[in-house]
C-alpha cells in the first residue's frame, strides 16, 4: 500500500507539537487516538462517580460516599499521566469538553434520584467497560512496540479491576452469592 503524503495540518502539528520518538508515525497516531478515547471515558467516569458521590443517600451512606470519593480520586489521578503520555510520543490529546462528549462511551446519568444499589451497579459496569477499552489500547501499544504506554495501561487496568471488584462486592444481594 503506497504511503500518502502528510497533509498540511499533519505537518503543522508535527512541526509545533511533535516530540521526537522512535515509534512509527502511524503507531503514534493510533496510540494517541486510543489514549484520547480512553481519556474521554476516564473524564466521563470521574464526573459520573463524583455525581453519585454527591447524591448518595441511605443506610450505607458513609461507606458508599467514602468509597466513591476514593474511587473518583483514583480515576482523576489517571488523567494527567494519560494525556501526557500521548504528548511524550508526539501525539495530541483531548482539547475540550465537547471532544470528551464526542469520544466517550460512558453514558450520562442525569436522573434526579438513583438508588445507591443502581449507582454502584452502573459504576461497576462502567469500570468493567473501561477495562475492556484499555485492553484494546494495550493491544495497539503491543503492535506499536510502545512498552511504556502498555506498562501504564497495565497499572490502570489493575486499578480499574479493583474498583470493579469493590463495586461488585458492594452490590451483591447476599454473602457468598453470585448472580
Amino acid at each position: 500500500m503506497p504511503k500518502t503524503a502528510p497533509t498540511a495540518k499533519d505537518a503543522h502539528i508535527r512541526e509545533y507539537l511533535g516530540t521526537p520518538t522512535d515509534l512509527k508515525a502511524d503507531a503514534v497516531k493510533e496510540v494517541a487516538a486510543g489514549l484520547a478515547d480512553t481519556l474521554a471515558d476516564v473524564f466521563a467516569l470521574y464526573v459520573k462517580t463524583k455525581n453519585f458521590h454527591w447524591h448518595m443517600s441511605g443506610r450505607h451512606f458513609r461507606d458508599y460516599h467514602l468509597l466513591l470519593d476514593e474511587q473518583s480520586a483514583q480515576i482523576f489521578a489517571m488523567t494527567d499521566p494519560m494525556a501526557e503520555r500521548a504528548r511524550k510520543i508526539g501525539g495530541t490529546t483531548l482539547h475540550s469538553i465537547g471532544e470528551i462528549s464526542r469520544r466517550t462511551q460512558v453514558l450520562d446519568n442525569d436522573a434526579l434520584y438513583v438508588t445507591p444499589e443502581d449507582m454502584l451497579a452502573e459504576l461497576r459496569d462502567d469500570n468493567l467497560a473501561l477495562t475492556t477499552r484499555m485492553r484494546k489500547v494495550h493491544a495497539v501499544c503491543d503492535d506499536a512496540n510502545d512498552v511504556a504506554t502498555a506498562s501504564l495501561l497495565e497499572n490502570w487496568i489493575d486499578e480499574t479491576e479493583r474498583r470493579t471488584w469493590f463495586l461488585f462486592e458492594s452490590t451483591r444481594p447476599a454473602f457468598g452469592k453470585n448472580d
Side-chain angles (χ1 to χ4, degrees), residues 70-92:
E70 177 185 294
Q71 289 195 357
S72 66
Q74 185 181 67
I75 293 164
F76 188 74
M78 295 166 60
T79 61
D80 201 47
M82 194 173 291
E84 287 181 356
R85 183 64 201 156
R87 293 288 294 119
K88 283 179 191 175
I89 62 171
T92 58

Side-chain angles (χ1 to χ4, degrees), residues 141-167:
C141 294
D142 287 346
D143 291 344
N145 197 29
D146 183 355
V147 295
T149 304
S151 178
L152 289 168
L153 284 162
E154 288 164 6
N155 289 318
W156 294 326
I157 288 167
D158 183 57
E159 291 173 359
T160 306
E161 288 175 331
R162 186 172 197 268
R163 289 192 306 273
T164 303
W165 172 39
F166 276 52
L167 292 161

Side-chain angles (χ1 to χ4, degrees), residues 16 55 112 123 126 128 133 135-136 144 151-152 155 165:
Y16 291 100
H55 296 100
L112 293 177
L123 291 174
D126 288 338
L128 188 58
R133 188 164 205 170
R135 287 187 202 286
K136 289 177 183 174
S151 178
L152 289 168
N155 289 318
W165 172 39

Side-chain angles (χ1 to χ4, degrees), residues 59-141:
R59 289 183 294 160
H60 302 289
F61 167 79
R62 183 179 189 283
D63 292 335
Y64 295 162
H65 184 76
L66 294 174
L67 173 68
L68 297 184
D69 197 36
E70 177 185 294
Q71 289 195 357
S72 66
Q74 185 181 67
I75 293 164
F76 188 74
M78 295 166 60
T79 61
D80 201 47
M82 194 173 291
E84 287 181 356
R85 183 64 201 156
R87 293 288 294 119
K88 283 179 191 175
I89 62 171
T92 58
T93 191
L94 299 176
H95 297 89
S96 67
I97 292 170
E99 188 173 0
I100 292 168
S101 178
R102 288 186 299 276
R103 286 178 176 260
T104 189
Q105 294 177 0
V106 176
L107 298 177
D108 282 337
N109 187 328
D110 296 331
L112 293 177
Y113 177 75
V114 180
T115 67
E117 295 79 14
D118 287 345
M119 288 179 183
L120 299 177
E122 196 169 322
L123 291 174
R124 178 198 62 219
D125 294 346
D126 288 338
N127 275 277
L128 188 58
L130 178 60
T131 300
T132 300
R133 188 164 205 170
M134 287 190 290
R135 287 187 202 286
K136 289 177 183 174
V137 178
H138 191 285
V140 171
C141 294

